[in-house]
């Protein structure tokens, strides 16, 4: 697992990039890539994360986003190949893209939304603001853990 310092740096980079790119600035998927949310089986680790996110969303959107960020940090450590470094300037941007893709897939899984509706949900100003707050909170929790471990 990556050190807490490295996780903190990643979280800060992801936050900075999230503010810059406003999720709608991403490249659209090729037509052949959008085969529907059930076209491919969802990996077990993703289903586990989605279940935790759904439980957390019952509390609040912020709790759901924090759950996503915590779980995604562990998934990236176990599956670094999920980061699409070819279409990102750096690891932080790749992590932000992965988080956005996971949120779209989550919305499709949890609510049966189509991809376009889920992408529109991500681009709402209130959601973008909530995501920034969750990134701040996550970064602070990583800092706190790092201080305790010293």
């Amino acid at each position: 697992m990556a050190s807490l310092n490295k996780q903190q740096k990643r979280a800060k980079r992801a936050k900075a990039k999230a503010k810059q790119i406003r999720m709608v600035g991403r490249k659209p998927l090729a037509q052949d890539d959008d085969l529907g949310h059930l076209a491919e089986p969802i990996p077990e680790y993703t289903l586990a994360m989605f279940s935790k996110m759904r439980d957390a969303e019952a509390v609040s959107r912020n709790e759901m986003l924090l759950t996503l960020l915590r779980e995604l940090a562990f998934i990236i450590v176990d599956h670094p190949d999920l980061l699409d470094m070819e279409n990102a300037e750096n690891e932080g941007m790749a992590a932000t893209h992965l988080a956005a893709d996971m949120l779209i897939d989550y919305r499709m899984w949890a609510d049966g939304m189509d991809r376009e509706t889920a992408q529109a949900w991500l681009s709402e100003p209130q959601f973008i603001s909530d995501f920034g707050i969750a990134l701040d909170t996550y970064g602070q929790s990583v800092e706190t853990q790092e201080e305790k471990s010293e």
Side-chain angles (χ1 to χ4, degrees):
M1 188 163 98
S3 70
L4 292 175
N5 189 29
K6 193 169 191 174
Q7 288 178 352
Q8 176 187 7
K9 288 180 182 177
R10 287 178 183 165
K12 285 181 181 179
R13 286 192 308 256
K15 177 187 170 195
K17 274 301 178 192
K19 287 182 180 178
Q20 288 178 358
I21 62 172
R22 311 240 352 162
M23 300 298 177
V24 291
R26 298 178 51 226
K27 295 181 198 174
L29 293 174
Q31 289 285 22
D32 295 338
D33 290 345
D34 189 13
L35 300 173
H37 70 290
L38 298 177
E40 296 180 24
I42 299 173
E44 194 63 37
Y45 59 86
T46 302
L47 286 174
M49 179 179 69
F50 286 175
S51 293
K52 290 177 184 178
M53 288 171 64
R54 182 180 50 211
D55 293 343
E57 190 173 24
V59 175
S60 70
R61 183 189 305 193
N62 186 50
E63 195 61 36
M64 182 265 297
L65 291 170
L66 286 171
T67 300
L68 167 77
L69 295 171
R70 284 190 297 263
E71 294 295 315
L72 204 52
F74 292 114
I75 289 173
I76 289 170
V77 168
D78 292 340
H79 305 279
D81 54 307
L82 290 175
L83 292 178
D84 182 10
M85 296 304 292
E86 292 179 17
N87 293 317
E89 293 175 14
N90 56 42
E91 193 173 287
M93 180 182 274
T96 301
H97 288 183
L98 179 59
D101 290 342
M102 288 291 192
L103 283 164
I104 290 168
D105 290 344
Y106 168 72
R107 211 26 83 208
M108 292 168 63
W109 174 82
D111 297 331
M113 286 184 182
D114 60 45
R115 183 166 293 280
E116 187 175 295
T117 305
Q119 287 173 328
W121 172 72
L122 275 185
S123 64
E124 293 173 358
Q126 184 60 48
F127 180 83
I128 293 169
S129 173
D130 291 346
F131 190 72
I133 291 167
L135 279 171
D136 287 341
T137 305
Y138 176 74
Q140 290 170 357
S141 71
V142 169
E143 287 176 13
T144 303
Q145 288 176 353
E146 186 175 281
E147 289 172 1
K148 287 181 180 180
S149 67
E150 291 176 354

